[in-house]
Each structure stands twice: as structure tokens, then as C-alpha cells.
Amino acid sequence: MSFRILGTGSALPARSVTNDELSGFLDTSDDWISTRTGIRSRRLCTTETLDELAALAAREALAAAGVAASELDLVVCSTTTADHIMPGEACAVAEALGASCPCLDVSAACAGFVFGLDVADGWFARGRARRVLVVSAEKMSRVLDWSDRASCVLFGDGAAAAVLGEGKGLLSLRLESRPDAETINIPGLAGTSPFDETERPASTFSMDGRRVFKFAVNAIVDGVRQTCADAHVEPQDIDHFVFHQANERILGAAVQRLGIEDARVARTLAETGNLSSACIPLALDRLVRAGSIEDGQLVALVGYGGGLSVGSCLLRWGSGT
Ligand code: UT7
């Protein structure tokens, strides 16, 4: 027995920041950002904490699922930008919800939600869980170098969640990592040890954008093809594609190479930017709340990013049996 998704939820900060606002302090323009990425604005935290956003998204997902926090057997949180290094973000969410089950964080950057689903799948398979909350929460604004126009314009903050119950909704899932600490990197805390003689750069995000671009298109194409092959379905049979939202041109290139219908590819990028691991559950939540996904339909998820890691899976929606 594996799982099915019982309910989803999401939460974004109130403040929307346009490309024009960024061009007020960076050598950039709305034209460059929107043409090269498809992003027009992003939501950035002002007074909201990540703990608050994650808990809001989780509460929405629990309400949609009709599950009480006390019924949760596991909380998994994917994040690379938590409010605290210890305890894990999942513990903070559980505390806010009043849940008292095991809590753990997954650090797989933009592929984190699918990695979280895989952890949950193991708990269902071993009979350890009947209800699992997977929440992805990212405050990218805290790790960006706001003087680097090549990266800070790409990201936003937000959280999204899914509550899982026993079911047969998971048809196939693949995880892949190609270890590479240079292409996308956020150095850890420097600390204040009087014995530490290493050089520690600032804890800000850096990326080789062109390299990631090529990796991203291949990751989506291979992820869809492999999970389809594992489940014996064709990409053309899939009703909804929920890919990580990094760049409209990446989505367009993947659509072209897969030969799939563009309208089946979820898009949130224009108004949220790249939310790292929260992109996929946010796009999924939007589809669910719009009533776009029908029971029995096939939904493909592919996340890719820092690691470099890729997580892809194929779901049959509503599959309780
Ligand atoms: O979730 C993690 C995954 N991240 C991604 O998937 C990102 C993947 N990469 C990309 O989306 C694209 O590579 C970027 C959007 C990051 C960059 O687009 P690009 O078309 O690859 O541009 P580029 O890096 O080749 O830069 C072209 C020019 C450069 O100027 P020169 O050297 O040609 O004079 C950059 O300095 O654009 C310049 N540039 C900018 N200009 C205005 C870079 N950023 C900006 C900016 N505004 N914000």
C-alpha cells in the first residue's frame, strides 16, 4: 500500500514585488526579466516568518483533507531556507499545528517535495503511517545576494503542503542525484569557532545559470519519460504536468522535446518566481482549488535543482483503491 493525496494547501507572503521595483536598485529591467524568465513579480516576506507560512499551508491542506493534526503519523518538511537550523522546520510546523508525531526535514533543494513524497511512501509501505503531512517551505529571500542581478530576480518566498493517506495513487517515482556542489550552492554558517581556520564565504546563493538551464530541460524530459515507462503509460496520456518553476523558457523547451500539449503544463512562475521546493505543491494546490484535476486523471511531477538532484513521479489522482 502506498499513498494518495487527500488535500493540498499553500501560503504566500502578502507583499508582491514587481520587476520594475527591482530595477530601482539593480541594473536590470522588466523587459530583461520577463523575456528571459517569464517572471513578472514575486512574493517576498516582510513580516511573515517561514514557520508561519508553512503552518498556514499545512492547516489548509489538513482542512482540505478533512484530517486533524492529531491524526498525523509523520510530518516531513522540505526546505533549504528554514527559520532555524535546529529544531527542524517540520518540528516548528508540528508545534504550530499541535501535532505530536515524528518530524523530519528533507534537504533536496527544488526537488525536495518529491523527495518528501518518497520518504512518506516508505512509511506507508512499511505500515508505519496512515496520515502524513508533506510541507515544502522556502524563504529564498534570506539566502539571496541582493546585489547579484543574475540570481536575486529569479526567486520568491512561499509554502505549500499536501496531506497523504493510504491509497494507490503513486504509480512510479524516481530520485536521482548527480553530486555537484559548485553549480548551485549556498554555503553554511561561518560560525565563531576560535579554532576554525577555513575560509568561509557569506551564506548567499550562487548558481551557474546556463549550466542549470541545460540540466533542467534534460531533467524534466528524462523524468517524464522514465516515470511513464515505469508505469507503462505514454507522456501524451498524462493530463497535468507539474514541473518545477524556474524559467518559462525551460518549460517551453521541455514541452517541445516531449511533444506534449502546452496547456497541460501548470504555470505559477509569472506571479511567484522560483519558490524552490514549494513550486510543485503550490502549482498542484492551484490546480486542485481551480477544480482542474478530476479523479482518475494522471499527474506528473518533476522537480530539479541544487544537489544536483531530480525527483519525478507519476500519480493517479484520487486513487483510493
Ligand atoms: O531552481 C534552481 C534552478 N535554477 C534555474 O533553473 C535557472 C536556470 N537558468 C536560467 O533560468 C537562465 O540561465 C538565467 C535566467 C539565470 C539567465 O538567462 P540567460 O539567458 O542564460 O542569460 P545569461 O546568464 O547568459 O546572461 C546574458 C546577459 C549577461 O550579460 P552579458 O555578459 O551578455 O553582457 C548577463 O550579465 O544578461 C545579463 N544579465 C542580466 N541583465 C539584466 C543577467 N542577469 C540580468 C538581469 N538583468 N537580471
Side-chain angles (χ1 to χ4, degrees), residues 255-271:
V255 165
Q256 202 168 25
R257 277 187 45 199
L258 285 166
I260 55 177
E261 209 181 306
D262 189 68
R264 296 187 184 197
V265 178
R267 265 127 171 150
T268 59
L269 186 66
E271 270 80 42

Side-chain angles (χ1 to χ4, degrees), residues 6 31 89 91 94 116 123 193 198 206 217 235 266 275 283 296 299 317 321:
L6 303 177
D31 183 54
E89 191 65 36
C91 281
W123 279 61
S193 166
T198 63
S206 65
V217 177
L275 303 177
V299 183
W317 203 254
T321 53

Side-chain angles (χ1 to χ4, degrees), residues 31 39 52 55 77 81 98 117 135 152 165 170 188 197 225 235 270 285 309:
D31 183 54
I39 299 165
E52 287 164 358
C77 183
T81 52
L117 292 182
V135 52
C152 74
L170 179 65
E197 296 176 17
R225 287 189 180 147
D285 183 50
S309 289

Side-chain angles (χ1 to χ4, degrees), residues 106 108 111-119 172-178 223 226-227 230 303 308-313:
V106 166
F113 182 70
V114 181
F115 274 66
L117 292 182
D118 187 61
V119 171
S172 58
L173 187 150
R174 279 189 185 233
L175 305 182
E176 187 192 344
S177 294
R178 304 175 201 172
Q226 286 169 357
T227 45
D230 291 346
L308 301 172
S309 289
V310 186
S312 38
C313 72

